[in-house]
Amino acid sequence: MYFSVSSYFLLRKLHTLYKIININNLSNSITFTIFKKNQLKIIWRLDSKSIIHTYVKINVKKYTQDKVTVSTKFMVDILTTFSNEELFIEKKKNTLNIYSKQGIYKIPIFYDSNHNHENINILRKFYSVKISLYSNVLLKILNKTLFVTGNEESKPILNGVFFQFFSHEANIVATDTYKLVKYTIKNFKINRRVQFTISKKYLNIVKEIIKNDKESNIFIKYNENKNIIFKTKNYIFSCEPINEKYPNYLSVVPHNKCNISFIINKFLLLNTIKRVSIFSKENKKSFIDFHFSHNKLKICNQNTIDINNSISEIKCKVIFNNIKNMKIGFNSQFLIEVLSSLNEDFVYFELYYNRMGILKPLYNKKKEESIFILIMSTIKI
């Protein structure tokens, strides 16, 4: 193995992988192999069922079929010290030698029996369905859903995001049983109905990858319950779906009319909740109450220090009200997270007595996507 490569382009590829490694505390080793005559294939195995490929253009001086495994951190640290220059890289027994204008630098080679790459050919197998999305759309979906996923190891299905693709639309759902987000893309076209759940761990990796491939297409290839491929302009990521049936999220969505609905300024509501929450005795369990009386909304903390100093009355536009007085409690942190995830200035809020609240962003113009957010109410104990 002997080739020349731009230090800048090699570092750029490795830096993305190294960032993913740091964030997720994953395997630090990567494998190089020459692909065709002008490309270096970089292979990174996260675990036994997931793998990332990327490619860098090179000039081959000596072609071999060797696979060389090295430390990602070591390579990134070394490449960071070079300006944008052409480096010559050659395998020499137990080292990978880097030749530059300043000298020769020897990188130790790993011999890891766990890093066999026989199932790389899985990418070439037939897939039952292929889905195309703009990378910025998928990034928006992940930003709107990942924070709602659960953390309970006993319920791995809730640690993932549920993707539903129909012939006319797509629904992406995440829930931790306390809150639920459904992101819908309308006028979505696909040749057959398909659904799957992907873990938060893998989707965070996809998120980091597409941050570097903005304004491009991303192809999702689904092979029944065996594996899912995310293919961008510069990366290919193969992972396994969660092979467990996702809960029927529609069963918790109310079908009857709400008790109260109103439109409110998102920033006003968000800052009021933050302000009221400061007066909590126990910040770890910060619950707030919504009081509706005579079409006025008052917000106070359930664990107030001084009731007179921790009630806020804010303006809103009441759309529907079939009850004179209403009190309903929410986890303030949940509301803060949800409201912070929305970009729109105004939200539509529905309240269901002693049950839940439903939020929807209020769009200025008709959009192809919509967001539905459900938050379960809390009862003061």
Side-chain angles (χ1 to χ4, degrees):
M1 179 186 286
Y2 183 33
F3 60 89
S4 64
V5 65
S6 161
S7 62
Y8 170 78
F9 288 115
L10 182 56
L11 175 61
R12 191 175 170 185
K13 294 285 185 176
L14 295 184
H15 191 269
T16 298
L17 297 181
Y18 185 55
K19 187 176 180 182
I20 294 170
I21 288 169
N22 274 350
I23 292 172
N24 298 279
N25 193 26
L26 298 168
S27 168
N28 182 41
S29 60
I30 53 170
T31 299
F32 295 143
T33 184
I34 295 177
F35 182 72
K36 296 179 180 178
K37 292 291 183 179
N38 63 345
Q39 285 185 323
L40 179 71
K41 181 188 280 188
I42 302 170
I43 306 163
W44 177 44
R45 183 175 294 282
L46 289 76
D47 49 49
S48 61
K49 296 175 182 176
S50 55
I51 190 169
I52 293 179
H53 297 174
T54 188
Y55 302 86
V56 177
K57 187 176 179 180
I58 60 173
N59 291 314
V60 178
K61 303 298 180 183
K62 181 181 178 182
Y63 177 78
T64 64
Q65 293 184 334
D66 292 332
K67 291 183 175 70
V68 179
T69 302
V70 295
S71 162
T72 314
K73 184 180 187 304
F74 204 114
M75 286 297 294
V76 168
D77 288 346
I78 292 294
L79 291 170
T80 303
T81 66
F82 291 109
S83 58
N84 185 15
E85 65 177 275
E86 185 180 24
L87 300 177
F88 291 85
I89 300 178
E90 183 179 20
K91 181 187 176 184
K92 287 280 190 179
K93 293 184 179 181
N94 297 328
T95 62
L96 192 67
N97 292 0
I98 296 178
Y99 302 92
S100 78
K101 296 174 183 178
Q102 292 80 36
I104 303 172
Y105 308 92
K106 296 183 178 183
I107 310 298
I109 292 176
F110 294 163
Y111 290 94
D112 191 346
S113 59
N114 294 324
H115 278 76
N116 80 64
H117 306 287
E118 292 177 1
N119 73 347
I120 290 172
N121 290 327
I122 198 169
L123 297 173
R124 303 188 182 101
K125 290 185 178 180
F126 173 77
Y127 290 92
S128 59
V129 66
K130 184 176 180 180
I131 302 154
S132 177
L133 283 171
Y134 285 116
S135 58
N136 58 347
V137 172
L138 182 57
L139 185 60
K140 186 190 293 186
I141 289 169
L142 297 180
N143 286 334
K144 302 291 185 186
T145 56
L146 276 175
F147 75 96
V148 182
T149 52
N151 291 309
E152 298 179 41
E153 293 299 325
S154 59
K155 296 180 180 178
I157 193 68
L158 297 184
N159 289 325
V161 175
F162 182 50
F163 292 79
Q164 274 186 315
F165 295 97
F166 303 98
S167 59
H168 59 287
E169 71 175 26
N171 291 325
I172 298 91
V173 180
T175 183
D176 60 1
T177 71
Y178 301 106
K179 50 190 181 295
L180 179 148
V181 172
K182 180 170 75 99
Y183 191 102
T184 299
I185 305 174
K186 301 169 185 175
N187 298 323
F188 188 89
K189 294 182 180 180
I190 193 171
N191 58 6
R192 57 166 289 189
R193 177 175 176 172
V194 65
Q195 58 186 36
F196 48 81
T197 306
I198 308 177
S199 74
K200 173 167 55 178
K201 169 186 171 181
Y202 293 147
L203 289 175
N204 275 322
I205 290 169
V206 173
K207 186 176 175 180
E208 289 300 320
I209 289 173
I210 60 180
K211 280 181 182 179
N212 295 286
D213 277 341
K214 291 181 180 178
E215 299 180 2
S216 64
N217 277 344
I218 181 166
F219 297 98
I220 305 171
K221 298 179 181 181
Y222 175 61
N223 185 17
E224 291 306 327
N225 293 320
K226 295 179 181 177
N227 73 325
I228 298 172
I229 307 296
F230 292 89
K231 186 175 182 180
T232 70
K233 182 180 178 181
N234 295 301
Y235 295 90
I236 301 172
F237 175 40
S238 172
C239 64
E240 188 181 45
I242 300 176
N243 292 320
E244 187 179 333
K245 188 176 180 181
Y246 201 79
N248 180 14
Y249 65 90
L250 292 175
S251 64
V252 299
V253 177
H255 299 289
N256 57 312
K257 200 169 183 64
C258 65
N259 298 109
I260 296 172
S261 64
F262 57 94
I263 295 171
I264 193 165
N265 183 287
K266 182 199 74 174
F267 300 102
L268 178 62
L269 179 61
L270 177 59
N271 288 327
T272 300
I273 293 170
K274 287 179 178 179
R275 188 182 312 117
V276 170
S277 297
I278 294 172
F279 290 90
S280 171
K281 288 180 181 178
E282 298 177 28
N283 289 324
K284 292 182 180 179
K285 295 181 180 180
S286 183
F287 301 115
I288 60 171
D289 285 332
F290 280 20
H291 294 261
F292 250 101
S293 180
H294 304 293
N295 286 341
K296 291 183 179 180
L297 173 63
K298 293 182 179 180
I299 299 178
C300 73
N301 202 294
Q302 288 183 357
N303 300 310
T304 54
I305 296 171
D306 185 343
I307 191 71
N308 295 317
N309 290 333
S310 53
I311 292 181
S312 292
E313 182 175 310
I314 55 178
K315 294 180 180 180
C316 61
K317 181 181 178 180
V318 177
I319 306 299
F320 177 80
N321 189 355
N322 67 358
I323 190 169
K324 289 184 179 179
N325 295 290
M326 181 178 181
K327 178 182 176 182
I328 184 169
F330 293 104
N331 182 308
S332 60
Q333 189 56 42
F334 290 171
L335 282 172
I336 291 169
E337 289 174 357
V338 165
L339 291 169
S340 298
S341 73
L342 301 176
N343 299 323
E344 291 70 27
D345 294 340
F346 290 88
V347 293
Y348 176 77
F349 212 136
E350 294 180 354
L351 298 178
Y352 294 80
Y353 189 71
N354 279 343
R355 290 176 61 199
M356 68 189 71
I358 290 175
L359 290 92
K360 300 172 186 176
L362 203 64
Y363 300 114
N364 294 325
K365 57 183 180 179
K366 189 175 180 180
K367 287 197 171 187
E368 292 297 314
E369 71 267 9
S370 62
I371 304 171
F372 171 97
I373 303 170
L374 183 150
I375 304 178
M376 302 303 295
S377 67
T378 59
I379 299 173
K380 185 176 180 182
I381 299 174

